[in-house]
Amino acid sequence: MRVSSARGAGALAGVTMALIVAWCTSAGAHAGPAAEGWRAAPPAPIPVVASTNVYGDIVERIGGDRVDVVSVITDPAQDPHSYEASTRTQLELSKAKVVVENGGGYDDFMDRMLRSSGNSSADVINVVGVSGKVAPAGGELNEHVWYDFPTMGRLADRIAAALTRSEPADAGTFRERAKEFKGELASLRARTDRIKEEHGGTPVAVTEPVPLYLTEACGLVNRTPSAFSQAVEEGQEVSPRTLHDTLALFTGGKVQALVYNEQTAGPQTEKVKQAAEHNHIPVVSVTETLPAGRHYTGWMTANVDALQNALSR
């Protein structure tokens, strides 16, 4: 009796265990793909806020699908100097892990809104700070550093480092993308070097300091009265004497091209443009933000090409 009961209990236990193992195996087989899919889901993109779409585009180039970028200023017809930030900007800044601002007084609204947002942990990249540029003795800093290709190379490395701090697992990808971007910048620098070889020392005029890092890289000499370009940049009236001196540049071969900022156009800059056109001086139009459908290096390539074509006429 005892032997028979033990054998029966043992047999029953064996059957029960087999059923449990079979059920677990079957359940695991069905749950496996879902569980693996859940484990393989990538982390949420890194939230980034950039003051303009120029910097937003560079962040996207380096971060790819690992970033979610909001660019505050995106309209090429808008003057960034007079931009008034919105509550939406403050909301986006409150969530950002990385913030890219130009600095140098260009986009002060970013610092004000970031402080108001209560976000003290964001990694803030100040591009003027990255550039290392300072105002010349007795002069003013040209804060339009996105026209300076060496600065954009340093910015690429800084962005890669900031994204790596937020998502260390993707460090290699960020570094490789930054390297590719810097390769494109090297090609742009080679193009400006060729212009410098062919046209170095050529006098030009500008309506505002925006393109000066580019024209200087090409070896061109700016003949515009500083009082004119500074007044235009600051939204002030140009004195009649200064306007007269500027218009006189376009007669007698004093300059070979005019580089015209479309985003700060007004009656006085329009007179300058008309004077250039009337005297058959080529006009090269530039903007402060990315035109629709363009990426940074394509945009800058078009600017360099336009300058080359103007000087080769």
Side-chain angles (χ1 to χ4, degrees), residues 28-295:
H30 286 88
E36 289 175 6
W38 178 81
R39 286 195 298 270
I46 303 166
V48 181
V49 175
S51 62
T52 74
N53 61 0
V54 174
Y55 298 131
D57 180 77
I58 296 174
V59 172
E60 288 177 341
R61 174 64 190 276
I62 296 167
D65 60 4
R66 294 298 306 115
V67 294
D68 181 14
V69 181
V70 174
S71 297
V72 179
I73 301 175
T74 60
D75 185 358
Q78 186 174 35
D79 182 1
H81 298 90
S82 59
Y83 178 78
E84 294 293 336
S86 66
T87 53
R88 177 179 177 275
T89 302
Q90 185 167 334
L91 176 62
E92 296 294 348
L93 283 169
S94 71
K95 301 182 294 183
K97 288 189 176 181
V98 178
V99 174
V100 184
E101 63 180 12
N102 188 80
Y106 184 80
D107 47 11
D108 287 342
F109 67 87
M110 291 287 285
D111 286 332
R112 292 194 300 269
M113 296 295 279
L114 186 59
R115 286 193 297 268
S116 298
S117 74
N119 183 355
S120 60
S121 62
D123 195 336
V124 180
I125 303 174
N126 182 297
V127 187
V128 168
V130 171
S131 76
K133 296 183 182 300
V134 296
E140 294 186 4
L141 171 71
N142 178 9
E143 72 272 22
H144 308 96
V145 290
W146 62 94
Y147 273 93
D148 182 62
F149 301 145
T151 293
M152 294 301 97
R154 290 191 286 274
L155 174 61
D157 288 334
R158 182 69 176 81
I159 290 171
L163 296 179
T164 294
R165 283 189 283 275
S166 289
E167 197 58 62
D170 289 319
T173 299
F174 298 146
R175 285 195 298 267
E176 184 60 30
R177 286 176 171 269
K179 182 179 178 181
E180 292 172 357
F181 178 73
K182 289 192 293 182
E184 295 176 7
L185 293 176
S187 296
L188 280 169
R189 293 178 70 178
R191 296 165 75 94
T192 59
D193 287 343
R194 285 196 295 272
I195 294 176
K196 187 174 184 177
E197 290 175 4
E198 297 171 2
H199 303 283
T202 300
V204 298
V206 301
T207 55
E208 196 184 343
V210 169
L212 287 182
Y213 288 121
L214 177 58
T215 58
E216 289 166 1
C218 293
L220 308 179
V221 180
N222 175 32
R223 296 297 191 199
T224 314
S226 60
F228 179 86
S229 54
Q230 289 175 7
V232 172
E233 181 180 23
E234 295 168 5
Q236 299 175 353
E237 284 294 315
V238 177
S239 72
R241 177 57 185 269
T242 298
L243 180 58
H244 175 272
D245 291 345
T246 304
L247 294 175
L249 292 173
F250 304 101
T251 60
K254 299 182 184 69
V255 295
Q256 300 302 311
L258 168 66
V259 187
Y260 181 85
N261 181 10
E262 294 182 355
Q263 281 180 254
T264 53
Q268 293 171 317
T269 59
E270 188 63 25
K271 285 183 180 179
V272 169
K273 182 180 179 182
Q274 290 172 356
E277 293 172 339
H278 179 75
N279 289 281
H280 308 290
I281 303 297
V283 177
V284 178
S285 295
V286 296
T287 58
E288 298 185 41
T289 51
L290 279 175
R294 286 288 182 90
H295 295 291

